[in-house]
Amino acid sequence: MDKLYGKLNSEQLLAVRAEPGAALVIAAAGSGKTRVVTYRVCHLIASGVDPDRILLLTFTNKAAHEMLDRVEGLGGIAPGQIVGGTFHRVCHRILRKHAELMGFPKKFILLDQEDARDVLKLCLEEAGGLGLHGLKPAGIHRILSLAVNTDRPIPELLTEFAPAALDYAFMMEDLAASYARRKQALGAMDFDDLLWQTRRLFTQHPDVGSLYAQRFQHVLVDEYQDTSKVQGDLVDLLAQQHKNLMVVGDDFQSIYSFRGAHFQNILDFPNRYPDAKIYRLQYNYRSTPEILAVANQTIEQNVRQYPKVLKAIRPSGPLPALVPASTPNEQAHFIVSRISDLMAQGTALREIAILYRSHYHSLELQVQLTREGIPYVVRSGVRFFEQAHVKDVVAVLRILFNTRDEISWGRILKVLPGVGKVTTGKVVDRLRGHGFQIDALEKVKTSVSARGRPAYQKLCLLMGEIREISEPSKLIQTILHSDFGELMLYRHKNAKSRAEDLEQLADYALRFHYLEEFLSDLALLSGMVEDSPEDHTGDGWLTLTTVHQAKGLEWSVVFTLWLVEGRFPSARSLGGLEEEEEERRLFYVTVTRAKDELYLCYPLTSYSSRQGATQHRLSRFIREVGDDILERWEVVQKNWYL
């Protein structure tokens, strides 16, 4: 072990060699968290702890495999001796032995996401096909999942994530009960049940809980800041006997409350374990001192935190650049131009990333990258114009331009609840007989079942309303704010962000006066897109991603978009101190992804179909840092759009 200890810095060594008991390791960005966890396990084994009595909990299978492989290599133990894996995997193993105590067969069925939604569909049909305001099984399942993982009531979650469905909260509660009964009858659990039922097992059958608490002499938890309420409870139950618990995480990188992460778990750890020792890992191996200076000055504004300062191991580099642009289009053109310069200087595309707060912020950039032929991959989802809700709206526009577009008719009809493949075929056949006239929609509605008729009527009303509108932007806005548009959005689990996408699409369409030129532009952009990253050779692909999807990753060069109030921080994420501090942590994660160069970009003005011309105020997160640690760049104004 002495040789291994020599590979640790002083902070890491203290955590690895911590005395038995409770320990909280606050591991700042780029500080070698994985090394500490793996070396801690090796240290325990070298100190005489039986590997079989060590439990390692992670959030991804990849992290578990990486850590266990390292431990086996460093500690010289046989594979499989340490119990380790994701929370779900470990709970699954426990429930396979004790499921009968919970009223499930030992060989219970494990439902994947698609299976779970199919069961929900059966429950909906059993309840008379309640539409729940257009929410599809995927959206319903997300709400039910959050309720389980956060211990929050369904009405509270609907208020936050699907306010249009709030009036149906009592139906949703009945549906949750029906879903639980049907799973029990099927002898099936979904992934949320693995955690919830294990906690229930330990609390309702304390003898079983004690069995596992006694067995695991040491419990280690990775990414503790991302644990949910249920996961936090499980950790406490597993560690209740020996109190030898080491949790590793970074409160500065707690950014997943929308997924159910419970920030209080890491904040309250010293209260739940009064004798806990706290270790801070502050030496950063990733970024230059100049980049870390921005991160440090930003995050120190948060009140609820474990104070720490990132210390750079690497030598100095250029100051982070603050880049104001006149418009969003000029912002996009600057980034593309700068990327071209970096490529000419020898930087590979795979070493460059563009980060943004929300997916729709990348529209102008995706257009400009496509026009310039720069290959990119979108980690935060599919390319903007390939998203289902965008294609749905474009399908409506294509029908207005050419009512004989059967493909588009088929697409929008299938959007309607209660209208499936067979009904769609009947409606299209009858429309064909009427020459695909818009007026014929009312004439053929008898082909639609009583269940699908209300939604179909919303489509009829929409088509009648928009048939005389010619401006593409106004068309999109009208679709978005119609009953059909609401129905179209709330069938998805993230309706709010999809609405923002469509607002951005309407803004993009402002530059076109006629529907034909707008649709032609979209078709040309789609035709320029290369098929997949695997088809490209050379220096790889540029990465576009939301900050949430970028956590844990790093690039040599990072650009950040739309650093203005209302965008980053997001206007809909600022409800109080708690929300503002999470937004600031999100910005901290953004900054700490960059190794060598950081570009902080923002438009001074923009024009939207809703508000007209808007002058933007620089993000508070930039205003909080000193002018001396940023270099202000000037962007020459040009008419970038040709």
Side-chain angles (χ1 to χ4, degrees):
M1 282 300 295
D2 290 339
K3 290 183 179 179
L4 296 180
Y5 293 150
K7 296 181 179 180
L8 302 171
N9 65 39
S10 58
E11 293 178 339
Q12 294 169 339
L13 186 60
L14 283 174
V16 166
R17 301 181 71 173
E19 292 295 317
L24 170 61
V25 180
I26 300 296
S31 63
K33 161 183 72 68
T34 301
R35 173 172 288 191
V36 167
V37 175
T38 53
Y39 278 54
R40 172 62 175 176
V41 175
C42 292
H43 171 78
L44 291 174
I45 295 170
S47 301
V49 178
D50 185 343
D52 185 60
R53 302 195 66 188
I54 298 173
L55 173 64
L56 173 59
L57 293 168
T58 66
F59 269 83
T60 66
N61 287 318
K62 180 181 177 183
H65 291 316
E66 180 183 355
M67 290 183 184
L68 292 174
D69 287 347
R70 285 196 197 181
V71 169
E72 288 160 7
L74 293 169
I77 64 169
Q81 282 189 269
I82 297 169
V83 179
T86 64
F87 278 87
H88 292 88
R89 183 176 292 275
V90 171
C91 288
H92 181 248
R93 290 175 62 177
I94 292 171
L95 288 171
R96 283 296 175 197
K97 297 179 180 179
H98 307 283
E100 290 169 318
L101 292 174
M102 297 292 96
F104 289 86
K106 189 169 288 188
K107 294 184 178 180
F108 63 84
I109 300 165
L110 183 57
L111 303 173
D112 61 19
Q113 295 278 13
E114 187 175 346
D115 295 332
R117 290 165 189 169
D118 287 342
V119 174
L120 271 174
K121 287 179 187 176
L122 293 175
C123 296
L124 279 167
E125 291 170 4
E126 188 180 71
L130 296 173
L132 291 173
H133 202 71
L135 278 174
K136 292 184 82 174
I140 295 170
H141 189 249
R142 182 189 179 218
I143 297 296
L144 299 187
S145 175
L146 280 171
V148 169
N149 283 288
T150 62
D151 284 343
R152 292 171 63 188
I154 286 173
E156 184 180 307
L157 293 168
L158 287 175
T159 300
E160 183 173 348
F161 296 104
L166 185 56
D167 290 342
Y168 299 83
F170 69 97
M171 295 182 185
M172 186 84 83
E173 290 171 332
D174 288 344
L175 182 63
S178 173
Y179 178 52
R181 286 194 300 269
R182 187 171 284 270
K183 285 185 294 182
Q184 190 102 30
L186 290 169
M189 296 189 199
D190 63 19
F191 276 83
D192 295 318
D193 289 324
L194 295 179
L195 305 182
W196 189 81
Q197 293 289 0
T198 303
R199 182 180 66 173
R200 180 170 161 249
L201 171 69
F202 288 170
T203 53
Q204 293 187 1
H205 299 274
D207 55 325
V208 177
S210 295
L211 180 71
Y212 287 95
Q214 178 62 39
R215 175 188 170 180
F216 295 121
Q217 186 178 347
H218 286 268
V219 178
L220 294 93
V221 185
D222 186 32
E223 300 287 6
Y224 186 68
Q225 79 282 347
D226 294 334
T227 51
S228 68
K229 176 67 168 60
V230 174
Q231 288 167 329
D233 291 346
L234 280 171
V235 169
D236 291 343
L237 288 165
L238 286 164
Q240 64 182 324
Q241 187 76 33
H242 300 287
K243 305 291 185 183
N244 293 327
L245 171 63
M246 176 174 280
V247 298
V248 183
D250 184 5
D251 57 307
F252 288 179
Q253 297 186 71
S254 179
I255 59 174
Y256 293 126
S257 63
F258 70 98
R259 292 183 187 169
H262 190 57
F263 186 53
Q264 289 301 125
N265 282 345
I266 195 167
L267 281 188
D268 291 344
F269 189 84
N271 296 328
R272 296 202 308 280
Y273 297 89
D275 296 329
K277 298 289 194 303
I278 298 177
Y279 301 90
R280 288 173 171 80
L281 308 183
Q282 300 174 98
Y283 288 110
N284 178 281
Y285 291 85
R286 178 186 299 151
S287 307
T288 62
E290 289 76 11
I291 291 171
L292 297 185
V294 175
N296 285 329
Q297 285 199 18
T298 296
I299 203 64
E300 71 180 11
Q301 307 297 322
N302 275 7
V303 175
R304 302 183 311 152
Q305 61 167 272
Y306 293 98
K308 54 188 173 296
V309 177
L310 288 168
K311 308 168 191 174
I313 297 296
R314 297 187 55 206
S316 289
L319 287 173
L322 180 62
V323 187
S326 295
T327 64
N329 205 50
E330 185 179 81
Q331 175 182 243
H333 199 286
F334 161 76
I335 292 172
V336 172
S337 176
R338 183 61 187 149
I339 288 171
S340 297
D341 291 342
L342 290 165
M343 291 169 63
Q345 295 166 15
T347 303
L349 276 179
R350 63 177 177 274
E351 288 295 332
I352 305 173
I354 298 154
L355 276 57
Y356 34 82
R357 173 62 181 83
S358 299
H359 190 52
Y360 74 96
H361 294 170
S362 66
L363 189 155
E364 293 90 358
L365 181 63
Q366 290 196 38
V367 168
Q368 192 62 36
L369 289 168
T370 303
R371 291 187 188 283
E372 295 296 324
I374 295 178
Y376 65 92
V377 61
V378 182
R379 281 186 55 88
S380 52
V382 298
R383 292 168 185 261
F384 188 89
F385 294 110
E386 295 172 2
Q387 297 176 104
H389 53 295
V390 173
K391 295 181 79 169
D392 290 342
V393 169
V394 172
V396 176
L397 301 183
R398 285 175 55 175
I399 288 171
L400 286 181
F401 180 65
N402 175 13
T403 59
R404 295 181 178 274
D405 186 341
E406 294 190 23
I407 295 174
S408 294
W409 276 116
R411 183 177 187 93
I412 64 169
L413 286 167
K414 289 174 186 173
V415 165
L416 307 175
V419 177
K421 185 177 180 181
V422 174
T423 301
T424 294
K426 290 178 181 177
V427 172
V428 170
D429 283 343
R430 293 190 63 188
L431 284 174
R432 190 184 299 114
H434 289 279
F436 287 103
Q437 296 299 310
I438 299 295
D439 291 335
L441 275 172
E442 283 286 351
K443 298 175 184 177
V444 305
K445 68 181 179 183
T446 53
S447 298
V448 181
S449 67
R451 180 171 170 239
R453 197 77 59 81
Y456 182 83
Q457 196 61 45
K458 291 178 180 180
L459 175 62
C460 294
L461 291 172
L462 171 68
M463 298 307 290
E465 182 180 359
I466 64 176
R467 62 192 301 178
E468 301 301 327
I469 301 174
S470 59
E471 301 93 335
S473 182
K474 187 175 180 181
L475 279 168
I476 295 168
Q477 282 287 351
T478 305
I479 295 168
L480 174 59
H481 297 292
S482 68
D483 288 341
F484 172 82
E486 193 172 73
L487 178 153
M488 177 189 68
L489 286 174
Y490 279 96
R491 71 195 186 104
H492 299 290
K493 63 182 181 180
N494 49 350
K496 285 184 179 179
S497 63
R498 290 175 188 262
E500 289 173 337
D501 288 341
L502 296 179
E503 295 282 10
Q504 195 70 14
L505 182 67
D507 293 348
Y508 176 72
L510 283 168
R511 66 191 72 186
F512 302 94
H513 299 293
Y514 303 104
L515 185 56
E516 180 179 5
E517 61 175 337
F518 177 63
L519 292 175
S520 296
D521 187 74
L522 296 191
L524 287 170
L525 286 171
S526 299
M528 293 177 187
V529 174
E530 297 183 59
D531 291 335
S532 69
E534 288 75 21
D535 296 329
H536 185 75
T537 58
D539 287 333
W541 287 53
L542 178 72
T543 298
L544 274 64
T545 179
T546 62
V547 184
H548 285 105
Q549 293 291 329
K551 185 173 172 289
L553 302 176
E554 60 183 42
W555 295 270
S556 292
V557 183
V558 168
F559 294 84
T560 305
L561 298 175
W562 277 102
L563 282 166
V564 297
E565 290 291 304
R567 295 292 184 98
F568 200 165
S570 167
R572 62 185 176 90
S573 296
L574 290 177
L577 177 65
E578 185 175 337
E579 291 82 1
E580 179 179 338
E581 292 201 343
E582 180 158 337
E583 287 289 296
R584 189 174 286 106
R585 294 195 294 269
L586 199 61
F587 180 66
Y588 172 89
V589 170
T590 306
V591 172
T592 54
R593 298 313 92 197
K595 295 192 288 186
D596 303 312
E597 296 183 44
L598 176 65
Y599 296 87
L600 306 167
C601 308
Y602 68 102
L604 297 168
T605 62
S606 66
Y607 191 89
S608 75
S609 53
R610 309 173 304 288
Q611 300 173 316
T614 300
Q615 297 233 342
H616 294 292
R617 189 181 187 205
L618 183 61
S619 169
R620 67 191 68 184
F621 304 145
I622 302 296
R623 288 184 276 117
E624 289 167 352
V625 304
D627 292 337
D628 58 323
I629 63 173
L630 296 174
E631 180 181 359
R632 180 176 289 272
W633 285 37
E634 297 294 335
V635 178
V636 178
Q637 293 188 24
K638 296 180 181 179
N639 181 17
W640 294 121
Y641 181 72
L642 299 175

